[in-house]
């Protein structure tokens, strides 16, 4: 049984047609290709191949980052009783999505997805399948405009901001340049959430391989996809004022790895991760 809310639209309306600009590489589609998806076009594959040529470990790092997301959602749902998730920078739906993980543990979990990518909008239906006890919605909005998300009426129908919410920012802040104050944006979201809420965040880094990862940054920027690489200190700044859960800010594959997980080399990972609680 489905229990869905389509942000800003009536229950029977279809999403309008959008210009996917198939001749221009898109970050969501490049990511989709690199983790083995099929929702991508030639321009995306060309950009992906150029980035992999610069740093061959990129697909490993991206898949490992998605594995972190799954572990973090599972951990927060099982160990901390989180029943509300706000996932911003959702990307092209790839199962298991946040609501599938959370609702497999807690059928009454509620999830709001947010993105402003045209390609994600066309696939939003996959994000709005829910258990009868829970609820989901998709909001077409820009992370850099927190108020448009926080005040969105459809999102507020799904999430109760007077109760704890887990804010999930996976593989998004590296697309926000320092001039747009990404740390300030994250703080604005967290300020709107109740005590007991969580922040789960990843940050693209060159600490493990400055030359190779730097090449990825150049390839993305040269193709019109702004990307900023940050170090561990800059990553930790996103969590200032919140209490980090163990093991703190670490490379994604070191954050509470599953028992028996295949070993991964640090030099194949270009993403820091952390999960923190707002007291």
């Amino acid at each position: 049984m489905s229990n869905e809310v389509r942000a800003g639209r009536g229950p029977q309306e279809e999403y309008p047609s959008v210009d996917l600009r198939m001749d221009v590489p898109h970050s969501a589609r490049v990511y989709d290709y690199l983790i083995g998806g099929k929702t991508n076009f030639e321009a995306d594959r060309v950009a992906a191949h150029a980035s992999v040529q610069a740093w061959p470990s990129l697909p490993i790092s991206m898949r490992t980052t998605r594995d972190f997301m799954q572990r973090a959602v599972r951990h927060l749902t099982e160990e901390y009783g989180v029943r509300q998730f706000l996932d911003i920078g959702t990307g092209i739906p790839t199962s298991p999505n946040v609501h599938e993980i959370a609702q497999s543990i807690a059928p009454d979990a509620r999830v709001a997805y947010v993105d402003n990518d045209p390609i994600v909008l066309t696939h939003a239906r996959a994000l709005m399948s829910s258990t009868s006890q829970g609820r989901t919605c998709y909001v077409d909005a820009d992370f850099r405009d927190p108020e448009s998300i926080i005040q969105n009426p459809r999102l507020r129908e799904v999430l109760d901001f007077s109760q704890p919410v887990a804010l999930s920012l996976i593989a998004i802040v590296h697309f926000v340049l320092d001039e747009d104050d990404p740390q300030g944006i994250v703080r604005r979201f967290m300020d709107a959430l109740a005590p007991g809420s969580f922040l789960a965040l990843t940050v693209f880094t060159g600490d493990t391989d400055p030359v190779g990862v730097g090449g990825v940054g150049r390839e993305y920027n040269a193709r019109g996809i702004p990307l900023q690489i940050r170090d561990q200190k800059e990553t930790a700044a996103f969590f200032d004022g919140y209490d980090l859960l163990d093991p703190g800010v670490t490379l994604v594959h070191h954050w509470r790895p599953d028992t028996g997980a295949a070993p991964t080399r640090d030099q194949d990972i270009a993403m820091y991760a952390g999960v923190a609680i707002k007291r």
Side-chain angles (χ1 to χ4, degrees):
M1 182 174 179
S2 174
N3 193 1
E4 66 183 51
V5 173
R6 275 184 264 181
R9 297 172 173 83
Q12 301 303 321
E13 286 186 73
E14 296 295 333
Y15 284 107
S17 61
V18 292
D19 181 6
L20 299 182
R21 300 190 65 193
M22 294 180 289
D23 58 329
V24 178
H26 194 286
S27 59
R29 298 192 306 243
V30 173
Y31 176 82
D32 175 76
Y33 178 72
L34 287 170
I35 64 171
K38 300 184 183 302
T39 310
N40 49 75
F41 303 107
E42 182 62 23
D44 309 306
R45 293 188 284 271
V46 169
H49 285 299
S51 298
V52 171
Q53 187 171 12
W55 191 52
S57 296
L58 183 59
I60 298 172
S61 185
M62 288 189 168
R63 288 193 295 269
T64 304
T65 298
R66 186 159 185 86
D67 291 343
F68 159 76
M69 179 277 288
Q70 296 176 27
R71 295 196 307 277
V73 171
R74 190 170 68 239
H75 183 72
L76 292 178
T77 307
E78 289 179 338
E79 302 300 325
Y80 289 90
V82 174
R83 296 297 181 265
Q84 299 190 110
F85 291 85
L86 174 54
D87 183 63
I88 305 179
T90 297
I92 296 167
T94 304
S95 188
N97 296 294
V98 172
H99 73 281
E100 294 170 317
I101 301 166
Q103 290 180 349
S104 71
I105 300 164
D108 60 335
R110 294 179 168 223
V111 179
Y113 294 102
V114 179
D115 212 310
N116 71 332
D117 293 343
I119 187 68
V120 180
L121 181 60
T122 65
H123 290 266
R125 280 188 175 279
L127 299 171
M128 295 187 301
S129 172
S130 174
T131 60
S132 59
Q133 304 98 311
R135 208 166 182 190
T136 64
C137 73
Y138 177 82
V139 174
D140 183 21
D142 192 331
F143 169 65
R144 292 167 294 185
D145 183 6
E147 295 306 320
S148 71
I149 298 170
I150 293 167
Q151 302 300 333
N152 185 279
R154 294 291 185 178
L155 183 144
R156 299 302 285 264
E157 288 179 16
V158 173
L159 300 183
D160 177 1
F161 277 25
S162 71
Q163 299 298 315
V165 174
L167 174 63
S168 175
L169 302 174
I170 308 302
I172 182 175
V173 297
H174 50 263
F175 295 120
V176 181
L177 304 181
D178 283 346
E179 63 199 58
D180 291 321
D181 188 20
Q183 287 90 352
I185 293 171
V186 173
R187 282 195 301 274
R188 178 63 192 97
F189 281 109
M190 293 300 292
D191 286 347
L193 302 181
S197 293
F198 290 85
L199 170 63
L201 178 143
T202 67
V203 174
F204 195 55
T205 185
D207 285 359
T208 52
D209 189 342
V211 175
V213 176
V216 173
R218 287 190 296 274
E219 291 295 340
Y220 268 69
N221 282 287
R223 287 168 169 77
I225 305 174
L227 181 123
Q228 184 150 352
I229 299 167
R230 298 182 170 97
D231 60 23
Q232 189 172 33
K233 183 178 179 179
E234 292 170 304
T235 301
F238 283 98
F239 297 98
D240 285 349
Y242 316 118
D243 294 344
L244 280 160
L245 306 187
D246 289 336
V249 173
T250 183
L251 294 173
V252 286
H253 64 301
H254 291 314
W255 197 92
R256 299 178 178 271
D258 291 329
T259 302
T264 302
R265 304 184 308 166
D266 287 0
Q267 57 264 44
D268 289 331
I269 302 301
M271 199 78 76
Y272 282 122
V275 179
I277 186 171
K278 174 184 175 180
R279 299 295 186 183

